[in-house]
C-alpha cells in the first residue's frame, strides 16, 4: 500500500514532521479502521524524511487517537469514534443514525428504593420504590456504554417483566403511554471505575464520558439515568451561536 502520493517533503516554514502528520491524517481519513500504515522505511522513502521525523509524526497521531500501535505488528488506522449530536433520542436511534448496529445486554433489573439524588430527580416520596435497570450497550458488537437507570415504578408497574434489550423510550411510549418528550442532561469527563471498566473493556482510571439525565413525560419525571460512554469510541457534536 502506498501512502499519499505527491512530492517529497521539503524544508520550509512548516516543520517536516507537521507536513508528514498532515499527509498521514489525510491518508487515515480515507482508509477503513484497522488498515495497516506503511512501514517506517517506506514512509521515509516516499516522503523524503528521516525516521526521526516519521516517528514524531506517527507519535502525535497515536496520541490523538488517529492511529494505534500494536506491539510486534505495526501501526494501524484507529477506530473512528461515534459522533453524536446532543439531542433527545434513544441509544438505538442514535446508533442507527450513525450507521451502527445497536444491541443490549441486560446486566441487572431490580425494584428498590433509589438513592436520595435519584428520589429528588424523580420527585418520589421517601421510601418509594423504583425500577433499577443496568444495561451494557453495544455498537456493531463492541461495548459503547453502560446505562444505570432508575424508572418510576407506579408508572411502569411490570417493567421488570418486559424485554429490555430494545429501546426503553420506545417501550415507554408504546406500552405505557409515557413518551419521553423532555430531558435535563449534564455531561462530564471522568475516570472509569473498576466494575464499569470491566463491562466496557477498559482499564480502571481510563477517561470516559458520563451523561447524567432526568427525562420526563408530559411534565412528570420518569427516568434518572447515568450513562457512561467509552471516551475513545464516542464523542459529542453540538452547534453553538452567539446569543
Amino acid at each position: 500500500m502506498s501512502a499519499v502520493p505527491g512530492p517529497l517533503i521539503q524544508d520550509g516554514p512548516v516543520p517536516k514532521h507537521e507536513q508528514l502528520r498532515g499527509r498521514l491524517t489525510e491518508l487515515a481519513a480515507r482508509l477503513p479502521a484497522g488498515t495497516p500504515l506503511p512501514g517506517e522505511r517506506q514512509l521515509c522513502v516516499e516522503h523524503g524524511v528521516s525516521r526521526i521525523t516519521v516517528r514524531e509524526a506517527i507519535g502525535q497521531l497515536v496520541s490523538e487517537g488517529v492511529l494505534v500501535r500494536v506491539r510486534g505488528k505495526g501501526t494501524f488506522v484507529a477506530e473512528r469514534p461515534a459522533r453524536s449530536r446532543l439531542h433527545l433520542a434513544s441509544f438505538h436511534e442514535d446508533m442507527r443514525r450513525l450507521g451502527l448496529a445497536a444491541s443490549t445486554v441486560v446486566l441487572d433489573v431490580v425494584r428498590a428504593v433509589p438513592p436520595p439524588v435519584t428520589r429528588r430527580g424523580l420527585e418520589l416520596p421517601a421510601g418509594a420504590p423504583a425500577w433499577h435497570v443496568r444495561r451494557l450497550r453495544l455498537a456493531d458488537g463492541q461495548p459503547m456504554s453502560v446505562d444505570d437507570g432508575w424508572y418510576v415504578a407506579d408508572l411502569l408497574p411490570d417493567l421488570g417483566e418486559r424485554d429490555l434489550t430494545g429501546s426503553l423510550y420506545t417501550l415507554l411510549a408504546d406500552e405505557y403511554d409515557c413518551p419521553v418528550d423532555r430531558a435535563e442532561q449534564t455531561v462530564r469527563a471522568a475516570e472509569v471505575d473498576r466494575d464499569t471498566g470491566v463491562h466496557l473493556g477498559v482499564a480502571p482510571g481510563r477517561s470516559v464520558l458520563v451523561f447524567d439525565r432526568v427525562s420526563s413525560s408530559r411534565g412528570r419525571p420518569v427516568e434518572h439515568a447515568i450513562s457512561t460512554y467509552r471516551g475513545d469510541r464516542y464523542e459529542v457534536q453540538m452547534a453553538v451561536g452567539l446569543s
Side-chain angles (χ1 to χ4, degrees):
M1 180 187 65
S2 175
V4 179
L8 299 181
I9 289 175
Q10 304 292 331
D11 288 321
V14 179
K16 286 186 176 182
H17 72 272
E18 286 293 339
Q19 295 181 56
L20 180 59
R21 176 179 170 277
R23 292 187 182 188
L24 295 182
T25 299
E26 294 176 4
L27 175 63
R30 299 201 309 268
L31 298 174
T35 302
L37 211 65
E40 289 184 0
R41 182 183 180 86
Q42 183 178 343
L43 291 174
C44 290
V45 172
E46 290 183 342
H47 298 281
V49 295
S50 68
R51 287 206 173 195
I52 293 177
T53 298
V54 169
R55 289 171 181 171
E56 187 166 0
I58 289 177
Q60 289 182 1
L61 292 177
V62 168
S63 67
E64 293 169 8
V66 176
L67 302 175
V68 60
R69 285 194 182 104
V70 179
R71 186 181 297 275
K73 294 185 178 180
T75 304
F76 301 82
V77 177
E79 289 187 25
R80 296 169 180 84
R83 177 177 294 172
S84 173
R85 292 192 297 268
L86 279 180
H87 64 300
L88 185 57
S90 71
F91 178 85
H92 279 70
E93 292 171 343
D94 207 14
M95 294 301 106
R96 188 180 304 117
R97 183 184 59 80
L98 295 170
L100 302 173
S103 57
T104 299
V105 176
V106 178
L107 302 176
D108 193 27
V109 182
V110 64
R111 188 180 172 112
V113 176
V117 64
T118 297
R119 179 176 60 80
R120 291 191 294 270
L122 295 179
E123 300 178 0
L124 296 174
W131 288 108
H132 188 198
V133 180
R134 294 184 72 242
R135 303 188 298 166
L136 173 64
R137 319 307 297 275
L138 303 102
D140 283 350
Q142 299 298 314
M144 181 69 78
S145 74
V146 171
D147 287 0
D148 189 325
W150 290 87
Y151 299 85
V152 177
D154 65 348
L155 292 176
L156 319 169
D158 61 346
L159 185 66
E161 301 172 13
R162 299 283 187 164
D163 179 5
L164 303 181
T165 59
S167 167
L168 270 180
Y169 284 5
T170 298
L171 181 67
L172 265 59
D174 293 349
E175 300 297 328
Y176 297 100
D177 193 27
C178 290
V180 172
D181 50 28
R182 179 177 173 79
E184 294 288 336
Q185 179 171 262
T186 61
V187 185
R188 60 184 172 87
E191 294 184 352
V192 69
D193 60 67
R194 182 178 298 277
D195 180 62
T196 304
V198 168
H199 293 302
L200 291 179
V202 298
R206 287 286 299 275
S207 295
V208 289
L209 287 174
V210 179
F211 294 74
D212 192 326
R213 179 179 63 256
V214 174
S215 305
S216 301
S217 176
R218 300 190 179 100
R220 177 170 180 181
V222 66
E223 172 197 55
H224 177 217
I226 296 178
S227 300
T228 303
Y229 281 80
R230 284 189 58 144
D232 59 341
R233 291 184 179 165
Y234 194 81
E235 59 185 35
V236 177
Q237 180 182 15
M238 66 192 78
V240 296
L242 297 176
S243 59

